[in-house]
mmCIF file of all heavy atoms in Angstrom:
data_model
loop_
_atom_site.group_PDB
_atom_site.id
_atom_site.type_symbol
_atom_site.label_atom_id
_atom_site.label_comp_id
_atom_site.label_asym_id
_atom_site.label_seq_id
_atom_site.Cartn_x
_atom_site.Cartn_y
_atom_site.Cartn_z
ATOM 1 N N TYR C 223 34.331 20.407 -19.796
ATOM 2 C CA TYR C 223 33.915 21.812 -19.911
ATOM 3 C C TYR C 223 33.928 22.251 -21.381
ATOM 4 O O TYR C 223 34.963 22.628 -21.914
ATOM 5 C CB TYR C 223 34.829 22.723 -19.089
ATOM 6 C CG TYR C 223 34.929 22.374 -17.616
ATOM 7 C CD1 TYR C 223 36.078 22.668 -16.895
ATOM 8 C CD2 TYR C 223 33.872 21.762 -16.945
ATOM 9 C CE1 TYR C 223 36.180 22.371 -15.542
ATOM 10 C CE2 TYR C 223 33.968 21.460 -15.589
ATOM 11 C CZ TYR C 223 35.128 21.762 -14.894
ATOM 12 O OH TYR C 223 35.229 21.463 -13.567
ATOM 13 N N HIS C 224 32.744 22.242 -21.999
ATOM 14 C CA HIS C 224 32.654 22.509 -23.433
ATOM 15 C C HIS C 224 32.976 23.964 -23.773
ATOM 16 O O HIS C 224 33.152 24.306 -24.936
ATOM 17 C CB HIS C 224 31.250 22.165 -23.945
ATOM 18 C CG HIS C 224 30.156 22.803 -23.150
ATOM 19 N ND1 HIS C 224 29.834 24.121 -23.276
ATOM 20 C CD2 HIS C 224 29.336 22.309 -22.193
ATOM 21 C CE1 HIS C 224 28.856 24.403 -22.449
ATOM 22 N NE2 HIS C 224 28.530 23.335 -21.763
ATOM 23 N N ASN C 225 33.021 24.814 -22.748
ATOM 24 C CA ASN C 225 33.324 26.240 -22.978
ATOM 25 C C ASN C 225 34.794 26.559 -22.712
ATOM 26 O O ASN C 225 35.172 27.726 -22.663
ATOM 27 C CB ASN C 225 32.439 27.117 -22.082
ATOM 28 C CG ASN C 225 32.578 26.779 -20.606
ATOM 29 O OD1 ASN C 225 32.972 25.666 -20.250
ATOM 30 N ND2 ASN C 225 32.269 27.723 -19.750
ATOM 31 N N ARG C 226 35.615 25.540 -22.529
ATOM 32 C CA ARG C 226 37.023 25.753 -22.223
ATOM 33 C C ARG C 226 37.888 24.946 -23.197
ATOM 34 O O ARG C 226 37.446 23.907 -23.694
ATOM 35 C CB ARG C 226 37.338 25.299 -20.775
ATOM 36 C CG ARG C 226 36.534 26.030 -19.706
ATOM 37 C CD ARG C 226 37.044 27.437 -19.486
ATOM 38 N NE ARG C 226 38.415 27.407 -18.981
ATOM 39 C CZ ARG C 226 39.246 28.447 -19.050
ATOM 40 N NH1 ARG C 226 38.868 29.565 -19.605
ATOM 41 N NH2 ARG C 226 40.465 28.353 -18.567
ATOM 42 N N PRO C 227 39.126 25.401 -23.430
ATOM 43 C CA PRO C 227 39.963 24.682 -24.407
ATOM 44 C C PRO C 227 40.366 23.284 -23.949
ATOM 45 O O PRO C 227 40.816 22.488 -24.771
ATOM 46 C CB PRO C 227 41.191 25.589 -24.546
ATOM 47 C CG PRO C 227 41.176 26.484 -23.367
ATOM 48 C CD PRO C 227 39.767 26.626 -22.940
ATOM 49 N N MET C 228 40.188 22.971 -22.685
ATOM 50 C CA MET C 228 40.542 21.621 -22.225
ATOM 51 C C MET C 228 39.463 20.580 -22.572
ATOM 52 O O MET C 228 39.618 19.409 -22.280
ATOM 53 C CB MET C 228 40.831 21.613 -20.715
ATOM 54 C CG MET C 228 39.663 21.957 -19.829
ATOM 55 S SD MET C 228 39.636 23.715 -19.429
ATOM 56 C CE MET C 228 40.606 23.757 -17.931
ATOM 57 N N TYR C 229 38.374 21.027 -23.186
ATOM 58 C CA TYR C 229 37.295 20.104 -23.565
ATOM 59 C C TYR C 229 37.824 19.026 -24.504
ATOM 60 O O TYR C 229 38.559 19.321 -25.449
ATOM 61 C CB TYR C 229 36.175 20.881 -24.257
ATOM 62 C CG TYR C 229 34.993 20.036 -24.672
ATOM 63 C CD1 TYR C 229 34.254 19.334 -23.729
ATOM 64 C CD2 TYR C 229 34.627 19.924 -26.010
ATOM 65 C CE1 TYR C 229 33.164 18.558 -24.110
ATOM 66 C CE2 TYR C 229 33.535 19.152 -26.403
ATOM 67 C CZ TYR C 229 32.811 18.469 -25.443
ATOM 68 O OH TYR C 229 31.742 17.700 -25.819
ATOM 69 N N ARG C 230 37.476 17.784 -24.223
ATOM 70 C CA ARG C 230 37.844 16.659 -25.079
ATOM 71 C C ARG C 230 36.565 15.896 -25.385
ATOM 72 O O ARG C 230 36.031 15.206 -24.522
ATOM 73 C CB ARG C 230 38.874 15.745 -24.379
ATOM 74 C CG ARG C 230 40.204 16.420 -24.097
ATOM 75 C CD ARG C 230 40.977 16.724 -25.376
ATOM 76 N NE ARG C 230 42.234 17.394 -25.084
ATOM 77 C CZ ARG C 230 42.376 18.723 -24.961
ATOM 78 N NH1 ARG C 230 41.317 19.525 -25.129
ATOM 79 N NH2 ARG C 230 43.548 19.258 -24.688
ATOM 80 N N GLN C 231 36.117 16.056 -26.617
ATOM 81 C CA GLN C 231 34.773 15.606 -26.989
ATOM 82 C C GLN C 231 34.543 14.111 -26.719
ATOM 83 O O GLN C 231 33.596 13.750 -26.020
ATOM 84 C CB GLN C 231 34.512 15.956 -28.460
ATOM 85 C CG GLN C 231 33.103 15.625 -28.931
ATOM 86 C CD GLN C 231 33.008 14.232 -29.528
ATOM 87 O OE1 GLN C 231 34.016 13.686 -29.991
ATOM 88 N NE2 GLN C 231 31.825 13.653 -29.491
ATOM 89 N N ALA C 232 35.389 13.257 -27.264
ATOM 90 C CA ALA C 232 35.132 11.823 -27.152
ATOM 91 C C ALA C 232 35.206 11.373 -25.691
ATOM 92 O O ALA C 232 34.351 10.604 -25.213
ATOM 93 C CB ALA C 232 36.138 11.039 -27.988
ATOM 94 N N GLN C 233 36.198 11.881 -24.969
ATOM 95 C CA GLN C 233 36.355 11.498 -23.569
ATOM 96 C C GLN C 233 35.195 12.017 -22.724
ATOM 97 O O GLN C 233 34.724 11.345 -21.800
ATOM 98 C CB GLN C 233 37.687 12.041 -23.024
ATOM 99 C CG GLN C 233 38.930 11.452 -23.685
ATOM 100 C CD GLN C 233 39.377 12.237 -24.907
ATOM 101 O OE1 GLN C 233 38.572 12.860 -25.609
ATOM 102 N NE2 GLN C 233 40.663 12.203 -25.196
ATOM 103 N N ALA C 234 34.731 13.231 -23.045
ATOM 104 C CA ALA C 234 33.620 13.809 -22.281
ATOM 105 C C ALA C 234 32.330 13.028 -22.518
ATOM 106 O O ALA C 234 31.591 12.727 -21.562
ATOM 107 C CB ALA C 234 33.424 15.278 -22.669
ATOM 108 N N VAL C 235 32.061 12.675 -23.764
ATOM 109 C CA VAL C 235 30.846 11.902 -24.059
ATOM 110 C C VAL C 235 30.887 10.579 -23.301
ATOM 111 O O VAL C 235 29.915 10.164 -22.664
ATOM 112 C CB VAL C 235 30.707 11.672 -25.588
ATOM 113 C CG1 VAL C 235 29.628 10.634 -25.881
ATOM 114 C CG2 VAL C 235 30.379 12.986 -26.289
ATOM 115 N N ASP C 236 32.030 9.908 -23.347
ATOM 116 C CA ASP C 236 32.154 8.624 -22.649
ATOM 117 C C ASP C 236 32.039 8.816 -21.126
ATOM 118 O O ASP C 236 31.405 8.006 -20.442
ATOM 119 C CB ASP C 236 33.492 7.975 -22.998
ATOM 120 C CG ASP C 236 33.565 6.550 -22.503
ATOM 121 O OD1 ASP C 236 32.895 5.692 -23.116
ATOM 122 O OD2 ASP C 236 34.244 6.291 -21.485
ATOM 123 N N GLY C 237 32.633 9.881 -20.630
ATOM 124 C CA GLY C 237 32.574 10.143 -19.185
ATOM 125 C C GLY C 237 31.150 10.386 -18.703
ATOM 126 O O GLY C 237 30.729 9.848 -17.669
ATOM 127 N N TRP C 238 30.405 11.197 -19.450
ATOM 128 C CA TRP C 238 28.999 11.427 -19.082
ATOM 129 C C TRP C 238 28.223 10.105 -19.112
ATOM 130 O O TRP C 238 27.398 9.838 -18.229
ATOM 131 C CB TRP C 238 28.347 12.422 -20.042
ATOM 132 C CG TRP C 238 28.606 13.870 -19.753
ATOM 133 C CD1 TRP C 238 29.303 14.739 -20.545
ATOM 134 C CD2 TRP C 238 28.144 14.652 -18.635
ATOM 135 N NE1 TRP C 238 29.301 16.002 -19.981
ATOM 136 C CE2 TRP C 238 28.594 15.972 -18.816
ATOM 137 C CE3 TRP C 238 27.389 14.344 -17.501
ATOM 138 C CZ2 TRP C 238 28.328 17.002 -17.906
ATOM 139 C CZ3 TRP C 238 27.109 15.364 -16.588
ATOM 140 C CH2 TRP C 238 27.580 16.667 -16.791
ATOM 141 N N GLU C 239 28.479 9.280 -20.123
ATOM 142 C CA GLU C 239 27.767 7.986 -20.215
ATOM 143 C C GLU C 239 28.085 7.114 -19.002
ATOM 144 O O GLU C 239 27.194 6.468 -18.437
ATOM 145 C CB GLU C 239 28.142 7.261 -21.507
ATOM 146 C CG GLU C 239 27.463 7.858 -22.733
ATOM 147 C CD GLU C 239 27.880 7.177 -24.038
ATOM 148 O OE1 GLU C 239 28.714 6.250 -23.996
ATOM 149 O OE2 GLU C 239 27.372 7.604 -25.095
ATOM 150 N N LYS C 240 29.344 7.108 -18.608
ATOM 151 C CA LYS C 240 29.718 6.306 -17.435
ATOM 152 C C LYS C 240 29.049 6.856 -16.172
ATOM 153 O O LYS C 240 28.622 6.100 -15.297
ATOM 154 C CB LYS C 240 31.238 6.300 -17.288
ATOM 155 C CG LYS C 240 31.910 5.383 -18.297
ATOM 156 C CD LYS C 240 33.354 5.122 -17.970
ATOM 157 C CE LYS C 240 33.922 3.959 -18.769
ATOM 158 N NZ LYS C 240 33.729 4.051 -20.218
#
Side-chain angles (χ1 to χ4, degrees):
Chain C
Y223 303 151
H224 52 76
N225 56 337
R226 301 285 297 160
M228 64 266 270
Y229 181 60
R230 296 292 179 272
Q231 184 268 336
Q233 296 89 331
V235 168
D236 190 73
W238 278 115
E239 284 177 359
K240 284 193 166 52

